[in-house]
Amino acid sequence: MLPLSSAAILSLLATGGTTTNSNNNSPWSPSEWIINMNIGRELSTGSSILPENWGTSGARLCLQIPILIESDRTASNVVDDGFLGAKKSYQLHVLEDPTFIGMKGEQTVKFEDTGAWKISLSSRCGVGNKLRFYLDVSSNNNNDDNNNNIAAQRNDVTLFHNERLYFISNCWRKDNNNKELELGITEFQKI
């Protein structure tokens, strides 16, 4: 099983969002996103983090997960593992379990219905705020696999049941004259 720090091997390629609430000027409007995950070994990942043979073939496990971001607080019984930071975090919901094509044909990866998110605000203009969120791979998966702990596998890239996937991304506020967003875009273009 991969250690909790396995989040280091995940590449979040893109997120797209469309607001589902008619009041799309409100930051508290629910918003549907599609998370495009491209999971595999990254060159920058140290060998001490991953099992020796995990992802060495160059295989990638690509999943598209539609989620709903909401402004409802997470339940008080949700265990905070320290990733989201301070006490206040908000709910996100997996709208549909993703599928991928593997050696056994089309397979579905089951996720828990509810995850959590939080934005850590930056005090400096043009410096990205940090959007942090997580999704939990479900313990209930219908894939017929000899290893009951495997939730998804493509060659030597594996996700396990009951594994938490962590995500971090920069995000910028849109102000009246778009200064912050423009500064953020300028910083990205340098990379």
Side-chain angles (χ1 to χ4, degrees):
M1 182 173 236
L2 294 176
L4 289 178
S5 61
S6 65
I9 54 110
L10 301 179
S11 295
L12 181 60
L13 291 183
T15 60
T18 57
T19 303
T20 58
N21 189 320
S22 61
N23 183 12
N24 60 10
N25 290 328
S26 170
W28 304 115
S29 297
S31 180
E32 286 186 19
W33 294 5
I34 295 177
I35 305 302
N36 295 304
M37 292 187 350
N38 183 342
I39 304 168
R41 187 178 285 268
E42 297 294 330
L43 295 177
S44 61
T45 304
S47 59
S48 63
I49 294 175
L50 298 172
E52 184 177 331
N53 295 326
W54 192 93
T56 56
S57 70
R60 309 298 289 190
L61 176 60
C62 297
L63 302 173
Q64 285 192 332
I65 307 173
I67 62 172
L68 178 66
I69 301 289
E70 293 189 321
S71 60
D72 296 334
R73 293 232 173 115
T74 52
S76 60
N77 63 346
V78 172
V79 176
D80 178 14
D81 59 9
F83 175 72
L84 295 178
K87 299 175 185 175
K88 296 179 185 176
S89 62
Y90 302 93
Q91 292 182 24
L92 66 81
H93 300 281
V94 175
L95 298 175
E96 183 178 336
D97 290 322
T99 60
F100 72 99
I101 305 297
M103 296 297 287
K104 298 176 184 178
E106 185 176 41
Q107 298 176 18
T108 300
V109 183
K110 301 283 187 185
F111 281 84
E112 296 295 330
D113 294 334
T114 303
W117 69 275
K118 181 180 179 173
I119 294 178
S120 302
L121 298 176
S122 171
S123 59
R124 293 180 33 216
C125 185
V127 174
N129 303 309
K130 296 292 184 199
L131 168 64
R132 296 172 182 264
F133 65 98
Y134 67 78
L135 299 170
D136 292 322
V137 179
S138 178
S139 59
N140 300 322
N141 199 323
N142 294 331
N143 290 342
D144 293 326
D145 201 310
N146 292 335
N147 185 342
N148 292 331
N149 198 31
I150 295 176
Q153 183 170 13
R154 185 158 189 276
N155 299 340
D156 57 353
V157 175
T158 308
L159 286 181
F160 295 97
H161 293 293
N162 297 314
E163 187 168 35
R164 178 165 282 177
L165 304 181
Y166 297 95
F167 302 84
I168 299 175
S169 180
N170 286 337
C171 62
W172 290 268
R173 295 179 288 243
K174 186 174 181 182
D175 56 6
N176 290 336
N177 55 12
N178 289 330
K179 279 185 189 175
E180 184 166 336
L181 184 58
E182 288 174 16
L183 280 169
I185 290 171
T186 302
E187 289 301 311
F188 259 131
Q189 288 174 340
K190 289 179 186 176
I191 298 172

